């Protein structure tokens, strides 16, 4: 698979080029709502939607971007409307959970990550993978499901550290019963 953010890179020139290409090749707008519209049918009957939020979400300067001072670097950052677009994947009664344990959620730096978490929360999207604590979702039936997100970075125990992952899953299972674990892992590049 490929990583696809719901908005422009931190580089404004890249954003204009990508928007033109989306319009020319696929006939869609670069606006987050337009990008998720074709996906809504997949989740029409889902009570829970789990997505990997493979981007920073926010606006304004990002002085601590991972690409600060570099000329050939990908830093994915979507506009604040991306959080609402992710929420729109579920029906009004559905619960939407976004995993932020991945290699692009910190692309706008620590402040950008905090802004991402806030944007998702304001849109009504539960976040998992911020830390090692389970994200608990209460369904309309009253049932609870806990979510844990891991990846190979340093913000949470690395997904390859199976002993740590098992400890956190066991703790969540003991507290909540049903646990969904998501792990964002894999190799990138030509040699992968």
């Amino acid at each position: 698979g490929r990583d696809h953010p719901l908005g422009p890179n931190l580089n404004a020139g890249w954003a204009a080029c990508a928007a033109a290409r989306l319009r020319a090749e696929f006939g869609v707008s670069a606006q987050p709502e337009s990008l998720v519209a074709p996906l809504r049918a997949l989740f029409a009957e889902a009570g829970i939607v789990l997505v990997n939020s493979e981007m920073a979400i926010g606006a304004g300067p990002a002085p601590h971007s991972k690409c600060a001072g570099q000329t050939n670097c990908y830093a994915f950052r979507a506009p604040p409307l991306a959080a609402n677009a992710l929420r729109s994947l579920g029906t009004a009664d559905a619960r939407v959970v976004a995993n932020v344990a991945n290699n692009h959620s910190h692309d706008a730096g620590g402040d950008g990550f905090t802004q991402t978490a806030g944007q998702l929360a304001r849109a009504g999207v539960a976040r998992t993978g911020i830390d090692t604590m389970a994200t608990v979702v209460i369904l309309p039936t009253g049932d609870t499901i806990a979510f844990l997100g891991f990846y190979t970075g340093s913000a949470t125990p690395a997904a390859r550290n199976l002993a740590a992952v098992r400890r956190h899953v066991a703790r969540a299972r003991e507290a909540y019963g049903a646990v969904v674990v998501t792990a964002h892992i894999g190799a990138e590049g030509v040699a992968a």
Side-chain angles (χ1 to χ4, degrees), residues 110-133:
D111 293 343
F113 183 74
T114 300
Q115 191 177 43
T116 297
Q119 293 289 347
L120 290 167
R122 282 187 288 284
V125 177
R127 294 92 14 107
T128 193
I130 290 177
D131 54 28
T132 60
M133 301 305 294

Side-chain angles (χ1 to χ4, degrees), residues 97-102 105-106 113 126-135 147-151 155-157 182:
V97 180
N99 176 46
V100 294
N102 60 63
S105 62
H106 287 82
F113 183 74
R127 294 92 14 107
T128 193
I130 290 177
D131 54 28
T132 60
M133 301 305 294
T135 299
F147 290 82
L148 288 167
F150 299 96
Y151 81 117
T156 59
T182 180

Side-chain angles (χ1 to χ4, degrees), residues 115-182:
Q115 191 177 43
T116 297
Q119 293 289 347
L120 290 167
R122 282 187 288 284
V125 177
R127 294 92 14 107
T128 193
I130 290 177
D131 54 28
T132 60
M133 301 305 294
T135 299
V136 180
V137 174
I138 301 172
L139 301 176
T141 61
D143 296 321
T144 60
I145 298 178
F147 290 82
L148 288 167
F150 299 96
Y151 81 117
T152 55
S154 61
T156 59
R160 290 184 285 246
N161 183 347
L162 295 181
V165 170
R166 283 187 184 109
R167 275 195 316 276
H168 296 299
V169 171
R171 179 180 64 199
R173 188 167 185 268
E174 184 177 319
Y176 305 107
V179 180
V180 174
V181 178
T182 180

Side-chain angles (χ1 to χ4, degrees), residues 10-154:
L10 293 173
N11 177 323
W14 182 91
C17 179
R21 187 170 178 195
L22 278 170
R23 175 71 63 203
E25 291 186 30
F26 303 103
V28 296
S29 162
Q31 292 300 310
E33 280 292 322
S34 176
L35 296 172
V36 301
L39 303 175
R40 287 195 191 104
L42 296 172
F43 304 104
E45 297 181 31
I48 299 175
V49 176
L50 173 62
V51 298
N52 186 45
S53 184
E54 187 85 18
M55 61 196 155
I57 300 173
H64 303 292
S65 161
K66 73 174 190 178
C67 293
Q70 298 182 42
T71 57
N72 190 19
C73 177
Y74 287 103
F76 297 148
R77 189 174 190 206
L81 289 174
N84 294 327
L86 290 177
R87 175 59 190 95
S88 77
L89 288 172
T91 64
D93 294 332
R95 304 301 186 255
V96 178
V97 180
N99 176 46
V100 294
N102 60 63
N103 58 314
H104 287 294
S105 62
H106 287 82
D107 279 6
D111 293 343
F113 183 74
T114 300
Q115 191 177 43
T116 297
Q119 293 289 347
L120 290 167
R122 282 187 288 284
V125 177
R127 294 92 14 107
T128 193
I130 290 177
D131 54 28
T132 60
M133 301 305 294
T135 299
V136 180
V137 174
I138 301 172
L139 301 176
T141 61
D143 296 321
T144 60
I145 298 178
F147 290 82
L148 288 167
F150 299 96
Y151 81 117
T152 55
S154 61

